[in-house]
Amino acid sequence: MEILKQIIKSSSFIKFERLIQSNRVSHCFLISSEDEEYNKQFCRAVILRLACNKKNAQDESNVPCFSCDNCLKILYSFHPDILVYPQKNTFLVEDSESILKNIAIKPMLMKYKIFIINNMDKSTNQAQNKILKILEDAPKNVIFLLNTTDVNNVLQTIISRTQIFNLEPLKVDEMSKILTDKIGSVNHIAIKLGKGWLGKTLALVGDKTLSEYDFVLNLLINMKSSKNIIDFVGKFSQKESFMIRLNILQEILEKILHAHFLISDDEKIQSLTKTFNVDCIYEILNLIVLSKRQFNANVSTVLITDYLLFKILEVKYICSLKK
Ligand SMILES: [Zn+2]
């Protein structure tokens, strides 16, 4: 979430905000930067801004609340009025058929229906021509957010129908806050080499994250009694990786939550939907927020982990009773 918060404060987003304020929201934007991950996250920030219910009430900042129904549905990637393409790696005929089918359905929770198309430059000319056709005939209540890492590979005919928005790299302090949230410390080398590009910088710190993922996933699968929790507490609470683990735990729970609505192709994640129901996941996600706050207030990581893991076990037990 820190990524989205920092993007919303960034210079590029402020420029975008001006467009919204002056009612110059185009129905088709082409978000462009050399960084794929940054493009995608920027699009998410834009939809939060457009979809959030709370800021309607004359909130001067216009910052999305991150807690209303629309915001939560976007954060957990299952908002019915927002569709993301391509469904696989590149844009295919199936994708354009799916867009055409969905474009005809009125938005359910918002004024607009929003279609995000990632990596426009990686789709074939044929696919881009299909998209062009869709853009030409799109109804008024539809917004397209296309993104690209290479404008030169996007058809001129598409470009002329869109408002191009070039992203500027994030600033050092914005990236520092993102890394502090993600890995619990600032990695100055990654920030320097990443040059303000989100995906590049995260990839530079990513190796460490990858090895932690299995540990946290195994913990969720294997925690069964208070006895084996004591073993997990020792490892989980190591201070230098504590924040990484909390974030991975959050990420995995969000995946399980998502798998409750859309079947995941990750078997382990799908099987965890049997152990953790939706209410139970929300409860643990709140606990993670509390744990992060305690960590920032210098509470001992052993104490935080102890409370968190026992609480998860308890929630898991209560969930099993409700079945
Ligand atoms: Zn909101």
Side-chain angles (χ1 to χ4, degrees):
M1 204 139 80
E2 191 62 31
I3 291 179
L4 295 164
K5 285 186 179 163
Q6 292 306 319
I7 288 179
I8 286 163
K9 281 195 266 175
S10 71
S11 54
S12 300
F13 203 87
I14 291 169
K15 280 185 193 157
F16 191 86
E17 180 65 37
R18 273 188 219 127
L19 288 181
I20 299 178
Q21 298 283 345
S22 58
N23 265 328
R24 282 186 286 147
V25 179
S26 154
H27 282 261
C28 186
F29 280 103
L30 181 61
I31 309 290
S32 166
S33 86
E34 63 179 73
D35 195 282
E36 196 176 312
E37 182 62 20
Y38 185 23
N39 287 345
K40 286 183 187 168
Q41 295 292 346
F42 193 89
C43 287
R44 288 185 83 209
V46 169
I47 53 176
L48 277 169
R49 168 64 183 83
L50 295 175
C52 178
N53 284 330
K54 288 211 175 144
K55 357 156 272 353
N56 299 339
Q58 312 265 298
D59 180 315
E60 285 166 35
S61 67
N62 280 312
V63 172
C65 72
F66 293 95
S67 59
C68 70
D69 199 33
N70 274 329
C71 281
L72 288 178
K73 285 195 162 69
I74 291 169
L75 291 173
Y76 299 130
S77 308
F78 56 81
H79 197 295
D81 301 330
I82 293 159
L83 294 112
V84 183
Y85 296 90
Q87 293 154 319
K88 291 185 183 132
N89 285 334
T90 45
F91 198 92
L92 304 166
V93 182
E94 292 102 278
D95 290 305
S96 50
E97 281 164 1
S98 165
I99 295 183
L100 284 172
K101 204 169 77 193
N102 282 297
I103 217 166
I105 304 168
K106 279 192 183 139
M108 285 187 254
L109 304 174
M110 308 193 300
K111 213 159 61 171
Y112 305 107
K113 189 127 191 168
I114 304 178
F115 291 86
I116 295 178
I117 304 179
N118 292 320
N119 298 324
M120 274 301 295
D121 48 289
K122 295 203 174 75
S123 43
T124 60
N125 276 2
Q126 195 195 2
Q128 290 197 38
N129 274 316
K130 284 238 180 316
I131 296 168
L132 177 68
K133 198 94 200 67
I134 295 171
L135 295 181
E136 283 170 345
D137 300 328
K140 280 205 171 95
N141 61 352
V142 168
I143 294 179
F144 280 91
L145 290 173
L146 318 178
N147 64 58
T148 177
T149 52
D150 186 359
V151 177
N152 296 323
N153 281 333
V154 179
L155 288 184
Q156 198 53 46
T157 39
I158 289 193
I159 293 177
S160 65
R161 289 214 146 248
T162 58
Q163 187 163 1
I164 296 194
F165 201 80
N166 292 309
L167 302 185
E168 290 159 19
L170 291 166
K171 298 204 174 68
V172 171
D173 68 312
E174 290 161 349
M175 205 55 96
S176 300
K177 282 182 188 138
I178 290 172
L179 289 191
T180 306
D181 179 70
K182 229 171 163 54
I183 60 171
S185 60
V186 179
N187 183 328
H188 296 285
I189 298 171
I191 290 181
K192 191 162 182 237
L193 297 175
K195 293 179 179 157
W197 298 114
L198 184 67
K200 213 186 233 176
T201 312
L202 293 180
L204 287 162
V205 295
D207 292 346
K208 199 176 175 190
T209 321
L210 223 62
S211 62
E212 297 290 346
Y213 187 89
D214 284 339
F215 165 68
V216 179
L217 185 62
N218 283 328
L219 179 149
L220 278 181
I221 294 169
N222 295 320
M223 65 188 319
K224 289 192 173 80
S225 66
S226 42
K227 230 189 205 167
N228 65 15
I229 283 201
I230 294 165
D231 301 330
F232 283 126
V233 170
K235 192 171 177 210
F236 195 101
S237 61
Q238 285 162 11
K239 206 172 173 183
E240 62 284 0
S241 302
F242 187 67
M243 208 55 158
I244 298 181
R245 292 183 183 138
L246 278 183
N247 282 314
I248 292 173
L249 180 62
Q250 183 178 341
E251 187 190 317
I252 294 174
L253 287 163
E254 285 168 6
K255 281 189 187 169
I256 306 170
L257 183 63
H258 202 200
H260 273 285
F261 299 93
L262 261 180
I263 292 170
S264 164
D265 42 24
D266 183 331
E267 278 174 28
K268 284 184 178 172
I269 294 289
Q270 195 58 47
S271 74
L272 280 168
T273 55
K274 294 184 199 118
T275 325
F276 296 96
N277 69 27
V278 174
D279 290 342
C280 164
I281 294 170
Y282 278 125
E283 199 165 330
I284 305 171
L285 286 172
N286 283 333
L287 274 175
I288 295 172
V289 175
L290 175 73
S291 303
K292 285 184 181 176
R293 222 178 285 147
Q294 289 172 326
F295 178 74
N296 290 329
N298 281 325
V299 177
S300 137
T301 53
V302 176
L303 282 182
I304 305 172
T305 312
D306 208 49
Y307 181 74
L308 176 68
L309 297 191
F310 274 101
K311 204 73 188 159
I312 293 177
L313 190 68
E314 186 187 311
V315 170
K316 205 172 157 183
Y317 177 69
I318 295 169
C319 279
S320 72
L321 291 183
K322 277 184 191 162
K323 270 180 198 162

